[in-house]
Amino acid sequence: MLADIWAQDLEGQDKDDVGRAFVMHRQESSRFPCPADILRLLPRCRRATSMESPMALPVDTVSYNQPGRNMAKLLLQALHGDSEAQNEMERLRMQ
């Protein structure tokens, strides 16, 4: 299943870095991400962490294409077995 592929490919990655990578991907691409896209952005996200201001906004304030839907949060929920999140990930992938 899609969530299993994401879990395997992102295993061991920092969840905050992954969240920042999703935000970065959404800002730079009009296509649905694949794990390789997120993995490719992680080094930039790690560098950005060290330069962040303590007053910076957290990742979960930004939504993905749908009002109130955070892509990083959705992915993490899917990876943790949330069937609704897994179904939504599959629906987004098929768009």
Side-chain angles (χ1 to χ4, degrees):
M1 177 164 220
L2 181 62
D4 295 330
I5 293 169
W6 279 91
Q8 182 181 7
D9 290 348
L10 297 176
E11 183 178 15
Q13 301 298 329
D14 181 79
K15 69 177 183 175
D16 293 330
D17 290 341
V18 170
R20 282 187 287 275
F22 270 99
V23 171
M24 196 176 290
H25 185 274
R26 187 186 63 252
Q27 293 169 348
E28 297 178 359
S29 178
S30 61
R31 298 165 70 187
F32 190 79
C34 69
D37 296 320
I38 300 306
L39 290 168
R40 186 173 31 259
L41 292 170
L42 283 174
R44 287 173 52 196
C45 294
R46 289 185 193 112
R47 280 190 299 247
T49 302
S50 63
M51 299 184 318
E52 281 182 358
S53 152
M55 300 302 290
L57 293 173
V59 171
D60 55 72
T61 62
V62 183
S63 63
Y64 177 79
N65 287 347
Q66 300 173 11
R69 183 52 104 176
N70 179 300
M71 188 61 178
K73 182 177 178 182
L74 178 65
L75 174 62
L76 290 174
Q77 288 172 331
L79 294 175
H80 285 100
D82 181 325
S83 61
E84 287 183 31
Q86 290 171 347
N87 291 340
E88 179 69 3
M89 288 289 295
E90 188 65 25
R91 186 189 70 75
L92 289 170
R93 186 181 71 80
M94 299 305 287
Q95 287 184 343

